[in-house]
């Protein structure tokens, strides 16, 4: 457990996936970027993603045939604005816990990737350890980054230290250094690096519920230029949709993080994020019907 982390417990009992309302997803925006490095701006992402989602250029019907826009189980819970202090940051756990307590599976719009730590605390409190499918250019496994244990470069180190998840599978990685390779070894993380990626072997071998954590910089900057950390040589939009659609186990939650509208070009990255909302929500609704 991280120093200074209070061990609050708001749950008397752990609920099961089955106890959550069948086919119900709660969309929630977490406007937080205080734990970013290099630049700010991702706190504006939920606004940009909602605008793209509802701009009228496309229906909200997913490729899997789920009409997300007219589905009674798709509930938009609005945004939470997160201050730059640690208390506000750790309270993200309660915001996501509220979604779960309403019987809804959380679909969270970040925000920087730091938020996945309090999100997974909430998921663990409600559902126990689940599998995580993490799309990213970066593994976000730094033991320490610029002295901030909650940095967006470190959420998965904190998640694994706390034993919050069952299995971590990384896809799209192209930034491993010596320290990060050691962290991968230390925590037993499964990494699909871009340099030797075989997409056919990703996402179809989970043995239980899956949480999808999607960092927009997993995509090549050609598809998603609106991110703070451009890392060329990434995934194509089509590839990630195919992997997500092929997940055989139920998707019980997701986050879509690191869209930086101030870096976007003609809202094209916001449109990709909106497409991911539609496809991931469609998958979650279908899986839990
Ligand atoms: Mn990340
Ligand atoms: Mn990243």
């Amino acid at each position: 457990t991280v120093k200074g982390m209070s061990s609050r417990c708001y749950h008397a009992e752990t609920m099961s996936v089955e106890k959550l309302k069948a086919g119900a997803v709660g969309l929630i925006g977490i406007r937080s970027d205080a734990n970013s490095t290099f630049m700010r701006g991702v706190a504006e992402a939920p606004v940009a993603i909602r605008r793209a989602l509802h701009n009228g250029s496309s229906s909200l019907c997913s490729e899997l045939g789920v009409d997300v826009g007219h589905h009674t189980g798709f509930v938009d819970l609005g945004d939470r604005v997160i201050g730059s202090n640690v208390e506000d940051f750790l309270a993200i756990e309660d915001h996501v816990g509220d979604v779960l307590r309403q019987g809804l599976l959380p679909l969270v719009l970040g925000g920087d990737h730091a938020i996945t730590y309090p999100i997974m605390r909430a998921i663990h409190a409600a559902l126990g350890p689940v599998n995580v499918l993490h799309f990213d250019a970066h593994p976000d496994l730094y033991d320490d980054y610029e002295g901030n244990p909650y940095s967006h470069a470190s959420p998965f180190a904190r998640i694994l230290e706390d034993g919050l998840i069952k299995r971590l599978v990384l896809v799209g990685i192209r930034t491993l250094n010596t320290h990060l390779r050691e962290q991968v070894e230390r925590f037993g993380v499964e990494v699909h690096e871009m340099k030797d990626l075989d997409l056919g072997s990703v996402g179809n071998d989970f043995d239980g519920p899956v949480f999808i954590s999607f960092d927009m910089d997993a995509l090549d900057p050609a598809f998603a230029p609106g991110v703070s950390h451009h890392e060329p040589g990434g995934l194509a939009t089509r590839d990630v949709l195919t992997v997500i659609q092929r997940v055989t186990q139920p998707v019980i939650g997701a986050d879509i993080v690191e869209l930086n509208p101030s870096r976007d070009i003609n809202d094209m990255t916001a449109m990709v994020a909106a497409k991911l909302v539609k496809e991931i929500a469609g998958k979650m609704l279908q899986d839990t019907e």
Side-chain angles (χ1 to χ4, degrees):
T1 301
V2 171
K3 253 179 283 167
M5 178 92 214
S6 65
S7 55
R8 290 166 302 138
C9 183
Y10 54 78
H11 255 280
E13 59 173 318
T14 298
M15 55 179 127
S16 65
V17 177
E18 291 72 32
K19 273 199 226 163
L20 294 167
K21 272 180 212 154
V25 170
L27 182 74
I28 182 171
I30 298 291
R31 299 187 55 186
S32 169
D33 63 9
N35 294 295
S36 296
T37 59
F38 186 60
M39 63 165 62
R40 296 283 187 265
V42 299
E44 301 306 315
V47 178
I49 297 170
R50 282 164 206 285
R51 198 168 50 225
L53 194 63
H54 299 295
N55 73 3
S57 70
S58 173
S59 83
L60 269 72
C61 194
S62 81
E63 293 181 7
L64 296 171
V66 178
D67 190 348
V68 174
H70 294 100
H71 198 296
T72 51
F74 185 68
V75 183
D76 192 336
L77 301 167
D79 293 343
R80 304 292 178 275
V81 178
I82 307 301
S84 57
N85 57 75
V86 172
E87 292 69 29
D88 259 35
F89 172 70
L90 294 176
I92 293 168
E93 179 180 349
D94 287 327
H95 299 313
V96 176
D98 285 340
V99 179
L100 288 155
R101 282 187 286 275
Q102 292 177 55
L104 301 167
L105 299 172
L107 175 47
V108 185
L109 308 178
D112 64 39
H113 217 156
I115 68 170
T116 305
Y117 174 52
I119 291 172
M120 291 319 299
R121 288 184 64 88
I123 296 276
H124 179 266
L127 304 172
V130 299
N131 300 296
V132 175
L133 179 58
H134 169 199
F135 295 86
D136 209 321
H138 318 90
D140 297 346
L141 283 167
Y142 275 96
D143 185 43
D144 176 75
Y145 201 87
E146 295 173 346
N148 176 12
Y150 303 121
S151 167
H152 75 156
S154 302
F156 288 94
R158 302 292 87 81
I159 287 165
L160 291 161
E161 282 164 3
D162 286 5
L164 301 179
I165 62 176
K166 206 171 181 182
R167 186 174 159 201
L168 178 59
V169 177
L170 272 59
V171 192
I173 302 302
R174 49 198 190 274
T175 56
L176 287 178
N177 60 23
T178 304
H179 168 66
L180 292 170
R181 285 185 195 282
E182 283 166 5
Q183 292 287 82
V184 163
E185 282 297 308
R186 176 183 164 204
F187 292 117
V189 178
E190 296 160 61
V191 185
H192 296 271
E193 287 187 70
M194 279 311 296
K195 69 180 174 63
D196 39 36
L197 184 60
D198 169 14
L199 279 173
S201 67
V202 183
N204 47 12
D205 66 339
F206 289 110
D207 64 349
V210 178
F211 182 93
I212 295 174
S213 187
F214 198 98
D215 185 322
M216 293 300 292
D217 67 30
L219 293 158
D220 192 275
F223 296 91
V227 297
S228 300
H229 303 263
H230 289 155
E231 191 67 38
L235 293 158
T237 306
R238 185 69 255 161
D239 292 339
V240 304
L241 296 175
T242 301
V243 170
I244 290 166
Q245 288 165 359
R246 218 172 36 210
V247 173
T248 47
Q249 294 289 331
V251 177
I252 51 77
D255 59 40
I256 299 170
V257 298
E258 297 285 349
L259 166 69
N260 190 336
S262 74
R263 300 265 271 181
D264 208 358
I265 300 168
N266 203 19
D267 294 335
M268 66 185 279
T269 315
M271 281 308 294
V272 176
K275 172 80 171 173
L276 287 166
V277 169
K278 191 162 70 171
E279 294 304 322
I280 292 173
K283 181 89 173 76
M284 290 167 74
L285 290 165
Q286 191 186 52
D287 287 349
T288 56
E289 247 163 24

